[in-house]
């Protein structure tokens, strides 16, 4: 089928990338993974998938891979994603996210790859004036991570204006869950994200956990976020490639479920699903945390026909719990 074009997935051994590899495979696309394995895990990618170990910013390697596999679209996940680290080491983020992306986009333009899907983030909005946040809300990131991603969006915008090149930048809200079939999931060396921290506490791998602030202007005083299942997120990337190869226009799209859950609600859900209670302390706010971040993701639904299948927080937590339990047993 002409639609099933070969796709190069950078960062395909990471949390979101490894789910995208499965989604593109299930949709019938030949897939090639490029990952330098700094944070990715080789075993997150099925051994049947061609795997190139290397950097997405390595022009010669990318050019060779594109040619060898007849690549027609690039889906770019590779990058650094830890917000506090980006504050401590901004140049790493401008190098790994913005710099590497410039090289990769250049390699695509040179090789004639016209379609590009980019992992962006709700962090480009900084602290939004109001929620839900539409794509045309002001982009005022408050940390180098968000800035490094926004700069890449600008590089894409200007490249698409100058060359025969189009793209979809997907701004993710809070990614959660794991592959429903248990093939892959999140494996952070040092968990910082709420659901992973709560699950590790439920597993007894931590003594307790902390709520970062309960004095926000939200219904229960704790931060509100829009959680989206990683498999639904992966599906949106397949639809975005289909959109571009079908002649669809370049787009910047939010991906979220348009519904917020508070930190307390998330912790209660983890306790209920795991059947384990654990100590929860309340501490001060974490620097730079907005009170609420909820997506207006109506454009992705309309333009891509995207319909999240696992919008329930219970489903997301249950999949993440099953995954973390299976990993803990393995170790
Ligand atoms: N959070 C918390 N305790 C933790 C980790 C996170 O209270 O140990 C809160 C955080 O302040 C935010 C929400 O949980 O309100 C989601 O944070 P996370 O780091 O998962 O994602 P972010 O929204 O920062 O991208």
């Amino acid at each position: 089928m002409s639609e099933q074009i070969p796709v190069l997935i950078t960062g395909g051994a990471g949390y979101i990338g490894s789910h995208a590899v499965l989604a593109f495979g299930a949709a019938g696309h030949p897939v090639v993974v490029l990952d330098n394995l700094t944070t990715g895990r080789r075993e997150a990618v099925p051994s049947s998938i061609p795997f190139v170990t290397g950097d997405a910013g390595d022009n010669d390697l990318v050019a060779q891979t594109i040619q060898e596999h007849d690549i027609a679209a690039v889906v770019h996940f590779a990058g650094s994603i830890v917000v506090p680290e980006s504050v401590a080491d901004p140049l790493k983020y401008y190098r790994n996210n913005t710099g590497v992306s410039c090289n990769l986009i250049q390699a695509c333009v040179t090789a004639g790859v016209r379609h590009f899907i980019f992992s962006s983030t709700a962090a480009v909005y900084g602290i939004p004036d109001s929620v839900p946040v539409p794509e045309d809300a002001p982009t005022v990131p408050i940390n180098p991570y968000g800035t490094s991603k926004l700069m890449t969006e600008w590089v894409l915008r200007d490249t698409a204006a100058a060359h025969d090149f189009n793209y979809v930048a997907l701004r993710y809200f809070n990614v959660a869950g794991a592959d429903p079939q248990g093939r892959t999931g999140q494996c952070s060396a040092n968990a910082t994200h709420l659901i992973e921290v709560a699950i590790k506490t439920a597993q007894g791998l931590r003594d307790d956990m902390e709520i970062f602030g309960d004095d926000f202007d939200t219904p229960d005083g704790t931060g509100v976020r829009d959680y989206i299942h990683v498999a639904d997120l992966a599906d949106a990337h397949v639809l975005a490639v289909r959109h571009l190869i079908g002649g669809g226009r370049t787009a910047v799209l939010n991906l979220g479920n348009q519904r917020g859950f508070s930190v307390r609600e998330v912790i209660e859900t983890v306790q209920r699903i795991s059947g384990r209670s654990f100590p929860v302390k309340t501490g001060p706010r974490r620097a730079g945390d907005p009170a609420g971040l909820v997506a207006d993701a109506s454009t992705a639904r309309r333009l891509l026909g995207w319909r999240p299948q696992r919008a329930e927080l219970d489903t997301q937590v249950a999949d993440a719990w099953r995954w973390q339990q299976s990993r803990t047993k393995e170790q």
Side-chain angles (χ1 to χ4, degrees):
M1 231 173 99
S2 62
E3 276 199 341
Q4 284 163 343
I5 59 167
V7 173
L8 174 64
I9 301 185
T10 75
Y15 171 42
I16 304 174
S18 63
H19 289 83
V21 169
L22 298 175
F24 276 98
H29 288 271
V31 168
V32 181
V33 169
L34 173 64
D35 197 298
N36 66 10
L37 295 178
T38 5
T39 54
R41 300 174 313 119
R42 177 64 186 88
E43 61 274 25
V45 179
S47 52
S48 55
I49 306 273
F51 192 102
V52 180
T53 307
D55 207 279
D58 180 340
N59 282 47
D60 291 342
L61 181 64
V62 171
Q64 192 191 325
T65 307
I66 287 173
Q67 196 190 13
E68 202 173 303
H69 297 275
D70 211 11
I71 295 296
V74 169
V75 185
H76 179 37
F77 294 99
S80 298
I81 57 161
V82 182
V83 170
E85 184 190 45
S86 80
V87 177
D89 190 359
L91 292 174
K92 174 175 175 180
Y93 280 70
Y94 294 118
R95 194 170 59 241
N96 283 356
N97 293 350
T98 319
V100 164
S101 297
C102 281
N103 282 6
L104 182 63
I105 294 162
Q106 174 70 69
C108 288
V109 169
T110 305
V113 173
R114 298 173 46 236
H115 307 308
F116 197 96
I117 310 298
F118 177 57
S119 284
S120 192
T121 169
V124 300
Y125 298 115
I127 299 187
D129 297 333
S130 60
V131 291
V133 191
E135 288 87 356
D136 59 2
T139 44
V140 268
I142 53 164
N143 50 59
Y145 167 67
T147 309
S148 71
K149 291 284 186 175
L150 183 59
M151 286 164 73
T152 306
E153 287 193 11
W154 292 341
V155 173
L156 287 166
R157 179 195 62 195
D158 296 345
T159 304
H163 298 281
D164 180 19
F165 178 88
N166 55 22
Y167 69 93
V168 177
L170 297 170
R171 294 176 174 166
Y172 312 152
F173 282 63
N174 287 57
V175 188
D179 175 47
Q181 295 176 46
R183 292 167 294 182
T184 185
Q186 195 160 24
C187 295
S188 315
N190 294 304
T192 61
H193 288 116
L194 177 62
I195 295 177
E196 207 182 3
V197 168
I199 286 177
K200 289 202 154 46
T201 318
Q203 290 179 305
L205 300 173
R206 298 170 53 119
D207 294 337
D208 55 27
M209 66 169 295
E210 186 174 325
I211 294 175
F212 299 145
D214 65 351
D215 58 350
F216 288 101
D217 184 16
T218 59
D220 69 11
T222 66
V224 168
R225 296 290 182 275
D226 182 338
Y227 295 88
I228 167 169
H229 196 291
V230 64
D232 286 335
L233 195 75
D235 288 344
H237 293 72
V238 177
L239 293 171
V241 165
R242 294 273 160 98
H243 165 78
L244 292 179
I245 59 181
R249 64 174 167 85
T250 277
V252 178
L253 303 173
N254 286 339
L255 293 180
N257 280 309
Q258 317 194 107
R259 193 174 156 203
F261 290 94
S262 74
V263 173
R264 276 196 207 288
E265 287 175 313
V266 170
I267 294 173
E268 278 161 21
T269 306
V270 171
Q271 294 193 331
R272 180 166 44 76
I273 299 279
S274 67
R276 303 187 189 178
S277 63
F278 47 82
V280 179
K281 297 189 290 195
T282 300
R285 293 184 183 191
R286 189 172 61 177
D289 266 353
L293 205 46
V294 176
D296 174 343
S298 52
T299 314
R301 284 165 169 74
R302 203 174 53 246
L303 198 68
L304 304 182
W306 180 60
R307 300 280 177 275
Q309 302 296 308
R310 299 171 188 85
E312 296 303 320
L313 183 63
D314 276 21
T315 311
Q316 298 168 8
V317 168
D319 287 345
W321 171 250
R322 209 173 325 110
W323 165 253
Q324 295 296 351
Q325 282 288 78
S326 71
R327 265 181 52 79
T328 309
K329 286 198 188 95
E330 266 171 30
Q331 287 164 355

